[in-house]
Every structure is written in structure tokens, then in C-alpha cells.
Amino acid sequence: MVQQSIYKNGSKNPPGPPSLPIIGCFPQMSTNPLQFLINAAREYGSVVHLGAIGPQQLYLIADPDCVKYVLQENPQNYTKGENFQDIKLVIGEGLVISEGDSWRYQRHLMQPSFHRQQIAAMVNDMTHLTDQMLERWQKKAVGAAIDVSKEMLFLTQKILLKTTLSIEADSDTTELTQAWNTIYKFLSDRLWAVIKPPISFPTPKNRQFKQAINTLRTVTDNIIQQRKQGNQTAHDILSMFMSTQDESGKGLSDRQLHDQIVGLFSAGFETSAVTLGWIWYLLSKYPTVERRLQAELVMVLAGRTPTFEDLPHLKYTKMVVQEAMRLYPGAWVYARNNLADDSIGGYHIPGGSMLLLSPFVTHRLPAFWDNPEGFDPERFTPERSVDRPRYAYFPFGGGQRQCLGDIFALTEIQLIVAMVCQRFRLNLLPEHPVECQPLLTLQTHKGILMTLEPRTELDNVSQRNTQKTLLTLNSDS
């Protein structure tokens, strides 16, 4: 039986698995983080004590109402703080990392750049670059194998660079993407490292990391200065950031512009690419869902390139994306530090603790999701969603710090899914293992190898049988 002590304010100390001094549950958690956290939530409940790592207590917050409390109801007590010190070296004091008045000011200035009408203006770039990828795929031999993880990463990088900085040529993206790949690997390796030498130590990996940061900053600064000198004109996110002003006519400083762009690049393509990779994996494993999706695309698009105006009519496509993000959220865990003592779910949480909020865990709690391990897009119909707690599903975070780019990401992913599925069926290589690798984002250990099957020979049959397919599938569901 789990023993619980009663704290002086009446709240209890949370239960949790056995832990060791100084390192808490880190050894068990680092071996298989996802399964460890799922098991902890299912065995110990809404708030789980994972011991102390050094002087800091560690807790898992799993219940939707408790997640809501941290992200929405009492966010002023929960900061990103020291959890993001390594990332702060990369992205500075931009929106992703800033707190308090600085964060509120930047958010106020940047919000208009991500309104729906601004995202709609970027759709042509998204579809154009996706079409380029599909044309390249078309030249491959039938049955050729590709790693869709890498393909999606390359595509979302190109889309982000084009929509953010108007960079399109492959030669211009190489320096930036190589720098980011070095940074990502360095930060991922440190995530589960037992010993983390200070970055100030001149180790070879630390030097490579610092050089990659310098490259990212230099390239970004050069682009900003060229814009400010009038040497380049473009209608992209950078131009919107440069033109935005507050009520007094003040805009973002050069430093703030730099930090916003680097932060956007660092956070703006990786999670979308990860989500797309998992979507192709799931569609290959669930052919009934894939057929239903294809039927909707034929019905709504009839082979043409989707537009922003088409997205509200691609309802099942959106549900496929939502369900993929439920099972495999790109941002699989969020960390927060609490500034002062608090009570969450009736449990005492001492100030200075670290809290883990994991969409991967909460999205799989049987109390809120029937058959939580199954892939069932129609669980996101209005009828089946109406009684679900808001924070049973939070792939983009929540509260005042919900991801600013959520509409951008959903638009991009839906468009890519629609365009790819119109041209190809992607089939998972049977002998290729697909295993989750929880790094900064929810990667796969060895990529996702799939073969390309062009749909051109199936188009006429699909056109004739679309209505029949939809009626059959609806009657079966």
C-alpha cells in the first residue's frame, strides 16, 4: 500500500514509485521514458511524485483538470525557468522562453502575424513546395523505399524558411539546416544524459554546439540587416514582425527580431515533420481509415490542389491529423517550475519543484479515451468530443502560452496530407521496426521506411466508387 503523509495545510504528499536519493526515478525513466510515465500515471493517479533529482522534487501531472490548473488557472506560479537554460542559449529571450511582462509584450506584437488571414496567404507556398516534393517522388521507381521521417523534415524546413524568411533555394537552406541539426542532436543527447558537463567547458561537442549557434545567429542577423537596409523585399513572417508596432508606435528591437526568428525556426518545423511521419505510419497500419480519407479527398477535391478555403470541408482529414497528434504528439512533454508552494489535485507541491506535463500520457488515459491505444479519428467528431475535458487533449499546450503557431501547423499538415494522399499510397516496409524515441520531439529510433505506390491507376475507380465507399464506411462505423 502506498503511504502518504499529510502536509500542514491538509493536502497530501503525492504517491509515486520507489525512488533513490539524488537521482530519484531517473534510472527507470531514462530506460523507457514513455512507458515508465504511462505506468506511473495509471498506477499512482493524477499527480505522481517521481522523487528528487538533486535538490529538486519531480512530479508528473497527468489528470486533465490538474493540467488545466497549471497551464490555465494558475500560470503565474509556473514558469519554464531553469528547464530551458540550454535552449535559451539558442533562442535567446524570444517568445518561446520569455516570461512576465516581456512575454506579454512580445505576444501582443506577434499575435497578428499568425491570424487566419495571414496563414491563408502562405498556403500557396506550402502547396508549391509540397508539389515539388511529389514531382521528385514521381520520378522514383514504383515500390522505391523512402524514409518519410527525413522527407517530411526536409519539406517542413523548406516551408518554414520560405514563409518566414523567403528562402527557397536549396543552396541557401543548407547552412541553416546543418546548424540546426547539430543543435538538435546536442540538446537531445543532453536530455537523458546522467552527467552533463557545463556548456562553458571546451569539450568537442560543446564547441560544435556553440559554432552551430553562431552560424544560426549570423545567418539570421544578415537576413534581418539586409531587410532593414532595403536590399530585400518580401511578404513573409519576418516582414510582418518588422512592421508590427504597439500603441506607442514602438516595434520589436533588432535583438527581439533575431530571437523571434531563431525561436520560430527552432520550434516551427520539427513537430510538424514528426506528426506527418506518424500519420503515414498510422495510415499504413489502418487501411480502413486510409480508404475513408481517400474517399473524402476525391469527393471534396477531385484531384485538384487544396486551398485554404477547402480545409473546413476536409473534416475527416482534420480528424486523422488530430488523432495522430493524440497518439504521437510531437511535443510529448512540457516542463514547468513552480515559484511557490501549491496544491494540485489535493496534493502538496513544494515551491521550486519541476513538473512534467505529458500529452503522450494524458492522451492515453483510459478514463478519458476509449481504446486509448487504437487509431480512431472519429473520436474527434463533435458528438464524441462534447463531454471530454478540455485538457484531456493538449498537443499545442494550453492557457495563455498555447503555441502561437497552432493554426499554421494544422493548416500545413492538412494540406500536405491531402496532396500526398491524392498522389501516393505509402506502405510501411514489413521488416522495418518503428519505435518511439522521445527526444526534444517524439522521433522514431530508425526512421519510418515506406514504399511509394502511385495512385494514378486507381483514380477512375476511386472517382466512381467514392459515394459508395463513404456510405459503406459510415454504415459500418
Side-chain angles (χ1 to χ4, degrees):
M1 174 161 309
V2 177
Q3 297 295 318
Q4 294 177 331
S5 60
I6 302 298
Y7 194 66
K8 61 184 178 182
N9 67 358
S11 61
K12 300 174 291 186
N13 286 325
S19 62
L20 297 171
I22 308 299
I23 57 175
C25 294
F26 187 81
Q28 310 99 292
M29 185 162 58
S30 62
T31 302
N32 189 338
L34 299 174
Q35 196 59 54
F36 173 81
L37 292 176
I38 286 176
N39 291 344
R42 291 180 178 176
E43 182 172 354
Y44 297 102
S46 58
V47 180
V48 184
H49 184 215
L50 302 176
I53 297 182
Q56 189 173 51
Q57 301 296 321
L58 182 64
Y59 299 91
L60 171 66
I61 309 299
D63 181 81
D65 287 342
C66 297
V67 172
K68 180 180 180 180
Y69 177 79
V70 172
L71 295 181
Q72 181 175 318
E73 295 176 349
N74 193 25
Q76 64 274 12
N77 193 41
Y78 295 90
T79 68
K80 296 187 176 183
E82 61 192 62
N83 308 317
F84 283 74
Q85 289 307 305
D86 289 348
I87 297 175
K88 188 174 182 178
L89 294 173
V90 182
I91 62 179
E93 295 285 350
L95 191 67
V96 174
I97 205 77
S98 59
E99 303 281 357
D101 291 341
S102 173
W103 172 83
R104 279 185 285 274
Y105 177 74
Q106 294 180 62
R107 178 90 178 197
H108 174 68
L109 285 181
M110 294 172 62
Q111 185 84 48
S113 300
F114 292 91
H115 285 168
R116 289 184 180 275
Q117 61 268 32
Q118 300 292 359
I119 303 300
M122 303 174 192
V123 164
N124 285 342
D125 288 331
M126 295 177 182
T127 56
H128 172 68
L129 292 169
T130 303
D131 192 59
Q132 285 185 348
M133 179 192 73
L134 295 174
E135 289 299 316
R136 177 167 53 82
W137 286 8
Q138 200 72 45
K139 297 175 183 177
K140 295 181 179 291
V142 175
I146 60 170
D147 183 346
V148 295
S149 297
K150 292 181 179 178
E151 291 283 339
M152 295 301 105
L153 188 66
F154 183 58
L155 174 59
T156 56
Q157 281 179 339
K158 292 191 72 171
I159 288 174
L160 188 69
L161 288 170
K162 181 65 172 70
T163 56
T164 303
L165 300 172
S166 293
I167 296 176
E168 186 167 0
D170 291 347
S171 58
D172 294 334
T173 67
T174 301
E175 194 173 21
L176 276 172
T177 55
Q178 286 181 346
W180 171 247
N181 291 341
T182 299
I183 291 168
Y184 184 89
K185 186 177 187 309
F186 178 89
L187 293 175
S188 294
D189 288 346
R190 280 176 70 87
L191 185 64
W192 298 113
V194 177
I195 300 175
K196 302 178 183 180
I199 294 175
S200 58
F201 284 15
T203 66
K205 288 185 177 180
N206 285 353
R207 288 198 297 268
Q208 290 176 359
F209 175 62
K210 291 180 179 179
Q211 181 57 50
I213 292 174
N214 289 336
T215 299
L216 202 61
R217 291 183 176 276
T218 299
V219 173
T220 303
D221 284 340
N222 288 342
I223 293 171
I224 291 172
Q225 292 309 312
Q226 287 174 356
R227 291 287 183 88
K228 293 180 78 71
Q229 294 166 10
N231 296 336
Q232 291 183 351
T233 59
H235 181 71
D236 53 21
I237 293 175
L238 174 57
S239 68
M240 287 186 276
F241 284 176
M242 292 177 68
S243 62
T244 188
Q245 295 179 339
D246 63 17
E247 293 77 6
S248 67
K250 181 182 177 182
L252 294 169
S253 67
D254 283 359
R255 179 66 185 187
Q256 287 172 328
L257 270 175
H258 169 273
D259 289 349
Q260 304 309 342
I261 293 300
V262 173
L264 185 59
F265 179 74
S266 301
F269 68 87
E270 192 85 36
T271 51
S272 293
V274 167
T275 296
L276 284 160
W278 286 115
I279 287 172
W280 307 130
Y281 166 78
L282 289 165
L283 290 176
S284 179
K285 299 283 284 185
Y286 290 82
T288 300
V289 173
E290 193 269 344
R291 288 194 297 271
R292 172 72 188 273
L293 171 62
Q294 175 65 9
E296 178 180 80
L297 296 175
V298 174
M299 178 79 88
V300 175
L301 301 175
R304 62 178 173 80
T305 300
T307 65
F308 189 76
E309 291 70 28
D310 288 318
L311 296 182
H313 304 291
L314 294 173
K315 296 179 180 179
Y316 192 75
T317 307
K318 183 178 180 179
M319 290 191 288
V320 167
V321 175
Q322 290 173 305
E323 175 70 342
M325 289 193 296
R326 182 189 69 83
L327 281 170
Y328 300 106
W332 66 277
V333 68
Y334 302 97
R336 294 290 187 270
N337 289 120
N338 60 325
L339 301 175
D341 288 10
D342 207 345
S343 178
I344 302 178
Y347 295 110
H348 173 68
I349 308 296
S353 299
M354 180 188 294
L355 282 64
L356 301 181
L357 294 77
S358 174
F360 188 92
V361 172
T362 304
H363 291 181
R364 293 169 182 257
L365 293 178
F368 307 101
W369 303 96
D370 295 332
N371 184 24
E373 303 294 335
F375 182 53
D376 177 13
E378 291 191 57
R379 70 171 83 240
F380 284 93
T381 60
E383 296 78 15
R384 292 176 62 182
S385 302
V386 64
D387 295 325
R388 187 177 301 136
R390 160 65 181 87
Y391 284 89
Y393 182 73
F394 61 112
F396 293 106
Q400 61 185 14
R401 299 202 70 135
Q402 177 158 324
C403 177
L404 188 62
D406 54 354
I407 297 175
F408 180 99
L410 284 171
T411 298
E412 174 188 43
I413 294 169
Q414 277 186 269
L415 290 169
I416 293 171
V417 168
M419 291 183 69
V420 171
C421 285
Q422 286 184 107
R423 298 271 291 274
F424 293 95
R425 176 178 286 110
L426 279 69
N427 301 306
L428 186 68
L429 282 180
E431 68 275 14
H432 179 69
V434 177
E435 301 173 0
C436 288
Q437 187 177 28
L439 302 175
L440 295 182
T441 53
L442 191 59
Q443 301 283 338
T444 51
H445 185 59
K446 296 181 180 179
I448 304 176
L449 298 184
M450 309 189 82
T451 58
L452 296 171
E453 180 184 343
R455 289 191 183 274
T456 51
E457 298 178 2
L458 303 175
D459 284 348
N460 291 334
V461 174
S462 297
Q463 291 276 4
R464 289 194 299 269
N465 293 332
T466 295
Q467 190 70 32
K468 180 180 178 181
T469 302
L470 277 171
L471 290 172
T472 301
L473 290 170
N474 282 331
S475 65
D476 290 343
S477 61

